[in-house]
Amino acid sequence: MIHFHYNSSCVRQLFCSPVQSLQGRNQLEVLVFEVGDKRFGVRSGNVREVVRAVKLSPLPEATGVVEGLLNLRGQILPVVDMRRLFSLAPRKLRYTDYFLVVATDDRMLALHVDLAIDLVELSASDVQPASAVLPQAGLVDVVARTSEGIVHVLDVARLATLEDAGSSVKWTRLDAEGRLA
């Protein structure tokens, strides 16, 4: 289940309905977000929470895209600076920013994004594997057409392996029941 925490009732209306599993259907449910003027998404099954951005605990030894650590109700999570990841202009933390708490089977982390937009259902006809569009797709799993433009849906499992590419920070690991290990 995804938990959304907001102060604004208008934003709460966008995100507070429970997420239904879409397995076995020809649709993909994605949480769409913005970083800079670009739209990205993550599969709803990987999203645990969407929270307003708060000040992070800095990591002086952190390299690469890790911005700092988030204390989320006692869980310490690394936060990926999505602007840095996509080589966009840096900016200071704003009260309008969000952290998307995402998880794979055994890892959990937060993505610092400019704006969490909406949960959208994408039909199979609107989705293409990223490798068919971009031979070097990297972190992008699929590319989707929406009424608002192109959305690059990220592969959270690949994002979670960034630690293996040289980061000195270890992602939070989950046990078989989805609890912090």
Side-chain angles (χ1 to χ4, degrees):
M1 174 186 241
I2 299 175
H3 301 281
F4 296 96
H5 301 276
Y6 298 97
N7 295 329
S8 166
S9 62
C10 65
V11 175
R12 181 171 284 130
Q13 291 171 359
L14 289 174
F15 294 102
C16 285
S17 61
V19 175
Q20 303 298 318
S21 172
L22 294 173
Q23 292 180 356
R25 292 169 57 184
N26 288 331
Q27 293 184 322
L28 173 66
E29 189 171 48
V30 172
L31 176 61
V32 177
F33 60 91
E34 281 186 2
V35 179
D37 62 350
K38 296 177 179 27
R39 287 188 180 229
F40 298 93
V42 289
R43 294 172 190 262
S44 64
N46 292 115
V47 179
R48 298 298 174 259
E49 295 188 52
V50 175
V51 295
R52 288 273 189 191
V54 295
K55 185 176 178 184
L56 298 172
S57 176
L59 282 173
E61 73 279 1
T63 59
V65 297
V66 177
E67 184 175 359
L69 296 176
L70 170 66
N71 182 349
L72 183 66
R73 294 180 303 283
Q75 296 179 9
I76 306 301
L77 304 175
V79 177
V80 174
D81 182 343
M82 299 303 284
R83 287 179 157 273
R84 194 177 310 162
L85 180 67
F86 293 116
S87 302
L88 298 174
R91 73 171 203 202
K92 293 186 182 211
L93 183 77
R94 295 182 181 175
Y95 73 93
T96 56
D97 291 354
Y98 287 91
F99 293 146
L100 308 183
V101 179
V102 297
T104 64
D105 290 338
D106 67 346
R107 297 176 187 203
M108 191 159 53
L109 61 141
L111 309 178
H112 180 182
V113 304
D114 296 351
L115 182 63
I117 298 175
D118 201 357
L119 284 170
V120 297
E121 288 187 14
L122 304 170
S123 67
S125 63
D126 292 329
V127 176
Q128 292 182 334
S131 59
V133 179
L134 308 163
Q136 300 294 328
L139 298 173
V140 179
D141 185 26
V142 297
V143 178
R145 290 185 309 266
T146 70
S147 60
E148 301 295 321
I150 299 292
V151 174
H152 299 89
V153 181
L154 304 178
D155 184 331
V156 173
R158 286 187 209 149
L159 259 173
T161 62
L162 288 176
E163 80 168 280
D164 302 326
S167 173
S168 62
V169 177
K170 303 298 181 202
W171 299 144
T172 299
R173 295 193 183 274
L174 305 178
D175 66 15
E177 283 79 43
R179 297 182 304 242
L180 290 174

